[in-house]
Amino acid sequence: MEIQENHTIWMQKAIACAQEGSTPFGALILNQQSEFVSAFNSTKKDGPTAHAEMNVLQKLKQLDYQSKNELVLYTTVEPCPMCMGGILWAGIGKIVYGASIEEVSKIIKQIKIDSHTLANKSWYQPEIIGDVLKAECLALFEGWN
């Protein structure tokens, strides 16, 4: 079975995950059977590296897949350099994000190195798709501190 290419549905699930954690940051990893694992940012509880993407990568062993390259990671905000490094080391084939680092850096502190820059330095080139439900993802920052 092919991965459902409706990015809107999966980004809505990532947004719901962020809302569940009372944070703007939610992520999920999807396999070809449309099974997924999800996580939200838990840095206030678990420390500075507990970003949504890092947390969901920790759940990767719960998914059934033949190759990590067939997996898709959805995230409400473009992965920061730390998270993008983890995603690359994990071998994820596609990354889909909502709001860009550049946009989010106007709201909170960010290391302004975009995911494409890191991917271009990698031994493989994952597909990167941005701006999926961007307005909804940026709205997660309203009232958040």
Side-chain angles (χ1 to χ4, degrees):
M1 178 187 267
E2 289 293 315
I3 291 176
Q4 182 179 350
E5 289 292 332
N6 190 335
H7 298 311
T8 301
I9 288 172
W10 295 107
M11 187 61 73
Q12 287 170 337
K13 290 183 185 302
I15 290 168
C17 182
Q19 292 168 328
E20 175 188 334
S22 300
T23 176
F25 306 98
L28 66 85
I29 299 175
L30 176 69
N31 70 9
Q32 289 192 333
Q33 292 76 38
S34 295
E35 300 165 335
F36 67 96
V37 290
S38 61
F40 50 80
N41 180 303
S42 61
T43 55
K44 290 182 181 177
K45 176 181 166 227
D46 298 322
T49 62
H51 291 194
E53 298 91 344
M54 298 299 279
N55 290 343
V56 80
L57 285 172
Q58 293 297 319
K59 296 180 175 184
L60 194 53
K61 61 185 171 267
Q62 298 173 19
L63 272 182
D64 183 33
Y65 56 89
Q66 297 297 314
S67 168
K68 291 179 185 174
N69 190 52
E70 71 192 29
L71 300 173
V72 183
L73 187 142
Y74 287 86
T75 182
T76 55
V77 176
E78 182 177 9
C80 74
M82 174 185 69
C83 294
M84 191 61 190
I87 292 163
L88 291 168
W89 282 113
I92 304 295
K94 185 183 292 186
I95 299 104
V96 181
Y97 66 84
S100 72
I101 282 185
E102 187 64 35
E103 292 160 323
V104 173
S105 70
K106 296 172 186 171
I107 304 168
I108 62 170
K109 293 185 284 187
Q110 288 287 311
I111 299 171
K112 294 191 222 177
I113 300 174
D114 66 49
S115 56
H116 288 90
T117 300
L118 274 101
N120 289 337
K121 302 287 185 181
S122 177
W123 63 95
Y124 80 102
Q125 297 299 304
E127 183 178 355
I128 301 172
I129 300 168
D131 297 334
V132 175
L133 296 182
K134 176 172 62 172
E136 291 88 339
C137 291
L138 286 170
L140 292 167
F141 286 92
E142 293 174 10
W144 182 80
N145 50 16

